[in-house]
């Protein structure tokens, strides 16, 4: 094959840059809107905020956000949703968004039909009113009213977007079991500490003892992980007081909570090693 004269090499480089898609970005004005609406995002250190901004832009480019039941979402609303969905992913990066393509948004809590086949072969069906849902191999679904309510009370221990994203992260290894993808050594430590905390918490709930953590966390190991992920971001001190070892794992996994006034819990400092794989 004939070679181009050496003087044309810069021309080739310019052509390659033109063919290569530019990285997705959020313009300054849109990103400022996002930060103004979410204390959790505004409180991130600069490096993580910059990474989140890139992830949110990538989310908007690759995921479909579909408002339902007459809901209308502006450009700023969509950017906010993308950033909140990516908030738990600053350690995982784009790998945390694998396996699904659509975010569905209802105006408020929505109803879903549930069914259960009991041990006697009897099928039970009922309707549930819920504010969020994450299908293991399907869309993520949110109530817009509850997203906004969480933004109004960012330190209350609730964040429906983080909750549902935690389920998506949990499912990345193929099992919805309360353990996200981890290296083998960390996985064993995580499983032991989470199981002990979960068993103790369930015993408290079963005994009717009032807990500082939402009792819904006792529903199943995967709900335990999702609920405590909410507390990590929105009420980290409350979580650290109730379950210090679990709080340490989550700080290592997600990074320091923007609501955490100290740099790192003692437990997180002890849990050294690589982040999620």
């Amino acid at each position: 094959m004939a070679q181009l004269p050496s003087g044309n090499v810069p021309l080739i480089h310019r052509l390659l840059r033109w063919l290569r898609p530019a990285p997705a970005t959020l313009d300054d004005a849109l990103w400022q809107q996002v930060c103004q609406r979410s204390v959790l995002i505004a409180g991130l250190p600069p490096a993580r905020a910059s990474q989140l901004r890139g992830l949110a832009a990538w989310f908007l480019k690759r995921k479909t956000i579909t408002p339902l039941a007459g809901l209308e979402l502006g450009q700023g609303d969509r950017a906010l949703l993308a950033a909140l969905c990516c908030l738990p992913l600053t350690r995982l990066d784009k790998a945390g968004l694998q396996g699904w393509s659509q975010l569905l948004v209802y105006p408020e809590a929505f109803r879903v039909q549930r069914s259960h086949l009991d041990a006697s072969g009897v099928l039970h069906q009922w309707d549930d009113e819920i504010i969020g849902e994450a299908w293991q191999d399907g869309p993520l679904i949110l109530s817009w009213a509850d997203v906004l309510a969480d933004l109004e009370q960012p330190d209350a221990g609730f964040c429906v977007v983080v909750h549902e994203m935690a389920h998506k992260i949990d499912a990345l290894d193929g099992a919805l079991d309360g353990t996200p993808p981890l290296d083998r050594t960390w996985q064993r430590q995580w499983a032991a500490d989470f199981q002990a905390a979960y068993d103790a918490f369930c015993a408290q709930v079963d005994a009717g003892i009032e807990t500082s953590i939402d009792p819904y966390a006792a529903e199943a190991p995967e709900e335990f992980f999702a609920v405590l992920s909410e507390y990590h971001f929105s009420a980290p001190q409350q979580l650290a007081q109730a379950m210090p070892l679990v709080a340490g794992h989550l700080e290592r996994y997600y990074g320091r909570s923007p609501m955490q006034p100290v740099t790192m819990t003692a437990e997180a400092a002890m849990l050294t090693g690589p982040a999620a794989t």
Side-chain angles (χ1 to χ4, degrees), residues 88 102 111 145 165 172 215 237 239 246 252 260 268:
Q102 189 164 204
R111 301 188 72 83
M165 280 301 301
L172 287 172
Q237 291 177 292
L239 176 61
V246 166
R252 176 183 170 189
Q260 176 61 271

Side-chain angles (χ1 to χ4, degrees), residues 24-205:
T25 59
L26 285 182
D27 66 55
D28 291 343
L30 197 56
W31 181 245
Q32 283 302 315
Q33 287 183 40
V34 170
C35 293
Q36 288 167 5
R37 295 175 72 178
S38 172
V39 171
L40 296 181
I41 294 171
L44 291 172
R48 282 180 65 195
S50 177
Q51 184 185 14
L52 178 60
R53 181 175 176 175
L55 280 170
W58 190 90
F59 185 104
L60 289 169
K61 188 174 182 180
R62 299 298 185 93
K63 308 287 185 189
T64 301
I65 300 177
T66 305
L68 303 171
L71 176 66
E72 294 183 2
L73 295 173
Q75 188 180 22
D77 299 327
R78 292 170 181 270
L80 176 65
L81 284 167
L84 289 171
C85 284
C86 295
L87 182 61
L89 303 179
T90 56
R91 291 283 177 89
L92 278 172
D93 205 61
K94 297 181 183 69
L97 291 169
Q98 294 177 357
W100 58 287
S101 62
Q102 189 164 204
L103 170 61
L104 306 178
V105 189
Y106 282 93
E108 51 193 15
F110 50 96
R111 301 188 72 83
V112 297
Q113 189 176 71
R114 305 292 194 194
S115 62
H116 170 68
L117 190 66
D118 66 22
S120 302
V122 178
L123 181 65
H124 302 270
Q125 293 183 319
W126 69 98
D127 286 340
D128 255 354
E129 187 172 80
I130 59 178
I131 63 173
E133 190 169 40
W135 297 6
Q136 186 164 351
D137 297 310
L140 187 146
I141 312 172
L142 296 171
S143 156
W144 180 238
D146 288 276
V147 172
L148 296 179
D150 291 339
L151 293 174
E152 290 293 322
Q153 294 183 298
D155 58 351
F158 301 103
C159 184
V160 63
V161 184
V162 166
H163 184 108
E164 300 308 332
M165 280 301 301
H167 285 318
K168 285 295 189 184
I169 294 167
D170 188 2
L172 287 172
D173 59 2
L176 199 62
D177 57 4
T179 303
L182 303 166
D183 68 70
R184 185 171 299 179
T185 301
W186 189 7
Q187 194 276 335
R188 287 195 294 265
Q189 189 177 10
W190 174 294
D193 291 341
F194 267 73
Q195 189 65 54
Y198 177 67
D199 290 343
F201 184 73
C202 289
Q204 287 182 309
V205 172

